[in-house]
Amino acid sequence: MIDDLYSARILSLAANLPHSGRLAAPEGTAERVAKLCGSKATVDVALDDRGRISDFAQTVKACALGQAAAGVVGESILGATAQEIVEARDAMLAMLKSGGDGPEGRFEGLRVLKQVADYPARHASTMVALEATLDAVNQALEKHHSDTRTRLAGAA
């Protein structure tokens, strides 16, 4: 039954991780680790002046399900806002834990992982890339806000 989880689409996503590696000068960097299995995602981001992701890199060491989720994130992330990532994370958690339909819009591709709901031990691995991305974006947004406050204080 667990073999049903590893569809051709999931295996393809896992094998072809978009934006793999690290950014030379990220504005936000975060790492998430799934305690149960040790799956790990490290994400670097840069934002444009409107707070949208303009550059993205990820290093993911996870099972095929975690790699597949990171693959969808990598395919969809450029141009995303923090709000879109929060909505995707919340919809993903609802899909895994309470029968929700999964993310819509930009991150709808994460629905390919709907069957993971039946395997709670795999939930954390499936979430590491998305959660690390949100952490990195929040860090970058804080940096942007801090830089703005500094510029405003200097102008006063």
Side-chain angles (χ1 to χ4, degrees):
M1 188 151 158
I2 199 164
D3 290 338
D4 294 338
L5 280 177
Y6 299 98
S7 67
R9 174 71 175 139
I10 287 175
L11 294 175
S12 174
L13 284 164
N16 301 298
L17 191 65
H19 303 285
S20 187
R22 303 294 306 268
L23 296 182
E27 294 177 302
T29 298
E31 179 179 282
R32 282 289 184 118
V33 177
K35 292 179 181 143
L36 185 63
C37 65
S39 291
K40 180 167 90 170
T42 304
V43 171
D44 296 328
V45 299
L47 306 178
D48 66 16
D49 58 354
R50 295 184 332 178
R52 295 180 181 277
I53 295 179
S54 60
D55 207 359
F56 173 86
Q58 59 184 344
T59 302
V60 181
K61 304 264 190 246
C63 67
L65 300 171
Q67 291 279 133
V72 173
V73 170
E75 288 178 346
S76 309
I77 199 67
L78 293 179
T81 64
Q83 184 61 37
E84 287 175 302
I85 299 166
V86 166
E87 289 169 5
R89 188 236 9 233
D90 292 350
M92 188 73 177
L93 288 171
M95 179 180 81
L96 293 174
K97 298 189 180 297
S98 58
D101 291 331
E104 296 179 351
R106 177 185 300 274
F107 296 103
E108 189 171 326
L110 288 167
R111 291 179 177 199
V112 73
L113 296 159
K114 190 167 181 70
Q115 291 180 349
V116 176
D118 295 334
Y119 303 92
R122 302 280 200 266
H123 291 184
S125 177
T126 305
M127 295 297 299
V128 292
L130 194 57
E131 290 177 337
T133 300
L134 183 57
D135 291 347
V137 168
N138 284 333
Q139 185 183 95
L141 285 169
E142 181 57 36
K143 183 178 189 301
H144 275 232
H145 288 79
S146 176
D147 289 349
T148 301
R149 286 191 300 270
T150 301
R151 281 194 306 274
L152 291 174

